[in-house]
Amino acid sequence: MSEQTDPVKRKPATSYDVARAAGVAQSTVSRCFSADSLISAETRQRVLSAAAELGYTPNTLARSLITQRSNTVALVITGYTMRDSPNVMYTLADALARQSMRVMLITAENDEDLRPAVLDLLGFPLDGLITCASMHADDSRQFLRRGVAMVSYNRKIEVPKVDAVLADHDGASRQIAEHLVRAGHKHLLCVAGPEEAPVSRERIDGFTAAVREAGLEVPHVLHTDFSYDDCKARFLAYVGKAKRLPQGIFCANDELAFAIMDACRYDLQLRVPEDVSIVGFDDVAVAERPSYLLSTVRPPAEVMANKAVELLLRRIREPDVRARTLRFDCELVERASARFGKP
Amino acid sequence: MSEQTDPVKRKPATSYDVARAAGVAQSTVSRCFSADSLISAETRQRVLSAAAELGYTPNTLARSLITQRSNTVALVITGYTMRDSPNVMYTLADALARQSMRVMLITAENDEDLRPAVLDLLGFPLDGLITCASMHADDSRQFLRRGVAMVSYNRKIEVPKVDAVLADHDGASRQIAEHLVRAGHKHLLCVAGPEEAPVSRERIDGFTAAVREAGLEVPHVLHTDFSYDDCKARFLAYVGKAKRLPQGIFCANDELAFAIMDACRYDLQLRVPEDVSIVGFDDVAVAERPSYLLSTVRPPAEVMANKAVELLLRRIREPDVRARTLRFDCELVERASARFGKP
DNA sequence: CTGAAAGCGCTTACAG
DNA sequence: CTGAAAGCGCTTACAG
C-alpha cells in the first residue's frame, strides 16, 4: 500500500509549511500577506511563489483571533422579508461585500424562530450586525456588550447605540388616506398582515389615523397571514357578510393588493378603479405591469440598504457615537388602480 | 476622570475570566461548554452561573481553530438567482440552520463578479460550500484541496467529488415542445436569457431539440437580459420585422413569459391562448393568478434544496465517496395560457 | 529588512 | 472528576 497522500484529505498548508519551503521564518511569511509590511522584493517573491506552489492562503480564522476583527457582519432576516424583498437583502449583502466584509446569513420563518440562531451567534466575534427583523432588546444589548456594531433596517429599535434606517411608512400611509378621502371615498377598508407584524402595523396605523382625523368613520382592518390565498379568502368572506362594499382599500403591501385586486375583478366582477380603488405599498416589479397598474408607495429600498451599511461601518469605526435614526421619505406612485383626489 | 469601564467597549469575557470567578481551571470551564464532558454537577453549576454573570459565551473562532471544524457553509449565489428564486435560497439557508450550520452568503451580480469573493473565501476554513452559480473548475479544486465539501445546485459540474442536484430541464422542455407540436403549433419561438446563462440554455436546447426531432423548423431564439423590459422590447422589435407571428412561444422562465404575455395582450392585442400559446418555466407564485394563468413547469425546488443540504452533510462526513448527481423530474403545470395537445 | 517569542481563546490528550 | 500543558495558525511588538 503506497503512502501517497490524497489531495482531498491533505490539510491546508500553513505559514510554517511555506516558511520551510521558502527558507524564511514563519513571521516573514506572515508579513508577505499583510498589506503594509516592510519586506524586500526578493524575499516576498520567494515566499509568494512557495505559497502558490503549496496552495497556501492565510487562515482568516487565526488572523481574526489575533486581530480581534472578523470582518464579518451578520444579516438577520425572516423568510417572509427575504421572499418579499430579496432585493433589499441583495443590496445589503452586495454593499457589505464591496466593503470587504463577509456576510453571515441568519434566517428563520419569523422573529421568534430567529432567536435561537441569533443567540448562537453571540459566540462568533462579529464586527457588526444588520437586522431586518425585530430583535429582543436584551439580545441586542448582549451583542453591544461584546462590541458588535448594530444597525436596524426598517424596524424601530429603542436600544442606545443602535442605529436605524427607516422608511417613513406613517407619512406615506397618511398621504394615501388623504388622497382617497379627497377623491370622495367614504367607506374604506384596510388589509393588513398579522396583528404583530411591525411594518404592516405602522402602515395601517398611519392610514387609519389620517382617516379618523379627516372625520370619516375609522376603517375596518382585515388581518391576514400575508399570503395571497389567505388574503383573498378573508376578503371574500368579509365582503360576503358586510353591509356594503368598501369604496377604497388600502393594503399593507403590494402582494396583498394583488390578491384584493384579483378578488375584486375575477370573483366579484368589480371594475378597478371605477367600483373600488385599491392601493398597495412597496412598488414591487409586478405593480407596474399592465395587468395590475397598481397605485402604490415606493420606499427607497436600495438607498436605505446602502445607507444601513454606511452607518454600520461608521459605527464599527466609532462605536460610541450617539445612535442615529435615518428616516426616508417614500414616493407615491400613482397608477390606474385608484382614484386619487388632487389637493 | 473616573476609571469606570464602558460596557460597550469592554472586551468579551474569556474562559480565563470565568475560571477565575468560579475558582476552577480554565480547562474546567471549557468542559462545561462541551456536550459530553465529565463534570460534577456542582462544579458545572458554579461555572455556568459565573459564566452567566460575566456574559460569557465560548468564542467559536477559537474553537474552530482547534477542532478544525468551522460549522460554516458558504452559499454562493448570483443576484439574479436570489431575486428570481428567493425561496431556494431561503430553503437552503433554513435547512443548513436546522443542522446547526452557519451560513456565509457570497453574492454578486453574475458568475464573473462572484469570483473574487469566492476566492477570498479560500482563507476561511469552511466545512462546505453550496453553489447556485457556475464556478470555475480550478476554483472548485482549490476548495476540495482544502477539504471543503461541495455541492452544486442546478449547475452541472464536472469536477470529481463534487455532488450535484439538478432539475431535469431538458426533459421538461422536451415535453413542452411535444405538447405544443401535438396541438398543431407550427411556428414556434423561444425566449431565452443571455447566451451564456446555463439554466436558460439547457431549457431552450431541450425545447429546440425536440422540435427538430418532430420534423418542424427549428425555432428562432430571442436572447434577453432576463429583465421584463428588455424582454418585451426585444420581442416587439422581433415581431415588428418578422414575416409572421409565432403560434407558440416557449420562455426560459416565468418572468420572461409574463413579459411576452403582456406584450401580446396589451401591445399586440392578441388573445392568449387563442392567437398564441405561451409557456414559462419555474411556476412562480404569480403564474397561477387569474391575470396570467400561465402554463409552466414546476421544478421541485424545496425538495432539491433540502436534498442539496443532505448531500453536503453526507460529504462532510465521508469526503471521499464518489460524486453523486441527483436529477429531479419537473411537473408540467397546465393552465390557460397555452393549447396543449394530448398524446 | 528579518527572526525569535509571546499570545489571541479555545480543546484535548495526559496525569493525578 | 479536575488541573497543567501543549497546540490550533496566525500577528505583532521587540531585538538585531
Side-chain angles (χ1 to χ4, degrees), chain B residues 81-245:
Chain B
T81 303
M82 200 158 136
R83 278 186 294 261
D84 200 55
S85 23
N87 208 38
V88 165
M89 188 173 159
Y90 175 75
T91 308
L92 286 169
D94 190 53
L96 253 4
R98 265 202 305 275
Q99 304 290 339
S100 307
M101 285 288 177
R102 283 191 201 86
V103 176
M104 202 125 236
L105 177 63
I106 311 300
T107 189
E109 203 42 49
N110 54 52
D111 291 348
E112 229 21 69
D113 295 348
L114 222 32
R115 214 177 166 203
V118 166
L119 289 177
D120 170 70
L121 219 55
L122 281 172
F124 192 102
L126 294 170
D127 287 354
L129 182 155
I130 297 179
T131 179
C132 306
S134 298
M135 280 177 59
H136 285 225
D138 280 350
D139 297 352
S140 303
R141 278 188 219 100
Q142 294 279 337
F143 281 99
L144 290 177
R145 196 175 167 179
R146 284 168 173 74
V148 178
M150 294 187 65
V151 173
S152 179
Y153 182 94
N154 246 347
R155 295 288 186 283
K156 286 181 183 156
I157 187 158
E158 70 307 344
V159 180
K161 317 265 171 182
V162 178
D163 301 317
V165 170
L166 307 173
D168 182 14
H169 299 128
D170 179 77
S173 302
R174 282 171 176 274
Q175 280 185 57
I176 297 287
E178 287 156 18
H179 273 98
L180 289 179
V181 168
R182 238 184 263 121
H185 301 84
K186 298 267 181 270
H187 309 300
L188 299 168
L189 174 69
C190 290
V191 180
E195 304 254 8
E196 69 282 5
V199 171
S200 166
R201 170 172 287 277
E202 233 180 300
R203 294 171 179 178
I204 300 299
D205 285 353
F207 184 87
T208 52
V211 172
R212 191 185 313 110
E213 288 160 21
L216 291 189
E217 133 205 36
V218 176
H220 180 72
V221 179
L222 211 57
H223 287 281
T224 71
D225 69 4
F226 272 133
S227 77
Y228 179 93
D229 290 337
D230 185 60
C231 175
K232 207 170 187 174
R234 283 179 195 277
F235 174 65
L236 291 173
Y238 168 79
V239 165
K241 60 178 205 293
K243 285 186 283 294
R244 55 173 168 250
L245 287 173

Side-chain angles (χ1 to χ4, degrees), chain B residues 1-45:
Chain B
M1 212 168 140
S2 91
E3 280 289 329
Q4 252 186 314
T5 48
D6 180 344
V8 172
K9 309 191 66 171
R10 187 163 51 197
K11 282 185 51 175
T14 71
S15 54
Y16 282 96
D17 301 326
V18 177
R20 197 176 313 117
V24 296
Q26 178 270 335
S27 51
T28 301
V29 173
S30 174
R31 284 193 192 92
C32 291
F33 286 90
S34 62
D36 44 346
S37 302
L38 317 182
I39 282 283
S40 76
E42 195 254 340
T43 308
R44 156 165 280 141
Q45 192 46 53

Side-chain angles (χ1 to χ4, degrees), chain A residues 14-307:
Chain A
T14 72
S15 54
Y16 282 96
D17 301 327
V18 177
R20 196 175 315 117
V24 296
Q26 177 271 336
S27 52
T28 301
V29 174
S30 174
R31 284 193 191 95
C32 291
F33 286 89
S34 64
D36 44 345
S37 303
L38 317 182
I39 283 283
S40 76
E42 194 255 339
T43 307
R44 156 166 278 141
Q45 191 47 51
R46 196 148 37 100
V47 169
L48 256 31
S49 72
E53 187 79 26
L54 295 168
Y56 169 76
T57 325
N59 182 325
T60 54
L61 239 50
R63 175 180 282 172
S64 295
L65 199 57
I66 204 155
T67 60
Q68 307 279 33
R69 286 287 252 94
S70 62
N71 287 302
T72 304
V73 171
L75 217 55
V76 177
I77 189 165
T78 62
Y80 172 74
T81 303
M82 199 159 136
R83 279 185 293 261
D84 200 57
S85 22
N87 208 38
V88 165
M89 187 172 158
Y90 176 76
T91 309
L92 286 169
D94 190 55
L96 252 5
R98 264 202 303 274
Q99 303 292 337
S100 307
M101 285 289 177
R102 281 190 203 87
V103 176
M104 203 125 234
L105 177 63
I106 310 299
T107 189
E109 204 41 49
N110 55 52
D111 291 349
E112 229 21 66
D113 296 347
L114 223 32
R115 214 178 165 204
V118 166
L119 289 177
D120 169 70
L121 220 55
L122 282 171
F124 192 102
L126 294 170
D127 287 353
L129 183 155
I130 297 179
T131 179
C132 305
S134 297
M135 279 177 60
H136 285 226
D138 280 350
D139 298 352
S140 303
R141 277 187 220 101
Q142 293 280 338
F143 281 99
L144 290 176
R145 196 174 168 183
R146 286 168 171 74
V148 179
M150 293 186 65
V151 173
S152 179
Y153 182 93
N154 246 347
R155 293 291 184 282
K156 284 180 184 157
I157 187 158
E158 70 306 346
V159 180
K161 316 263 172 183
V162 178
D163 301 318
V165 170
L166 307 173
D168 183 13
H169 299 129
D170 178 78
S173 303
R174 284 170 176 274
Q175 280 186 57
I176 297 286
E178 287 158 16
H179 273 99
L180 289 179
V181 169
R182 238 184 261 121
H185 300 84
K186 298 267 181 269
H187 309 299
L188 298 168
L189 174 69
C190 289
V191 179
E195 304 255 8
E196 69 282 5
V199 171
S200 167
R201 170 171 285 279
E202 233 181 300
R203 293 172 180 179
I204 301 298
D205 286 354
F207 185 87
T208 52
V211 172
R212 190 186 312 109
E213 287 161 21
L216 291 189
E217 133 206 34
V218 176
H220 180 72
V221 179
L222 210 56
H223 287 281
T224 72
D225 69 2
F226 271 135
S227 77
Y228 178 92
D229 290 338
D230 185 60
C231 175
K232 207 169 185 175
R234 284 180 194 275
F235 173 65
L236 291 173
Y238 167 79
V239 165
K241 59 178 207 288
K243 285 185 285 292
R244 55 171 170 251
L245 287 173
Q247 301 169 317
I249 306 179
F250 174 64
C251 305
N253 71 217
D254 290 348
E255 292 304 321
L256 297 173
F258 298 143
I260 298 296
M261 208 186 284
D262 286 347
C264 287
R265 284 179 171 161
Y266 299 96
D267 293 283
L268 305 173
Q269 326 303 337
L270 296 172
R271 288 164 308 161
V272 179
E274 293 82 351
D275 300 323
V276 55
S277 283
I278 298 173
V279 183
F281 211 116
D282 280 344
D283 196 30
V284 301
V286 176
E288 68 169 333
R289 307 211 176 147
S291 24
Y292 287 108
L293 293 174
L294 180 68
S295 291
T296 185
V297 176
R298 176 159 52 226
E302 276 81 12
V303 175
M304 287 170 59
N306 281 305
K307 204 68 191 178

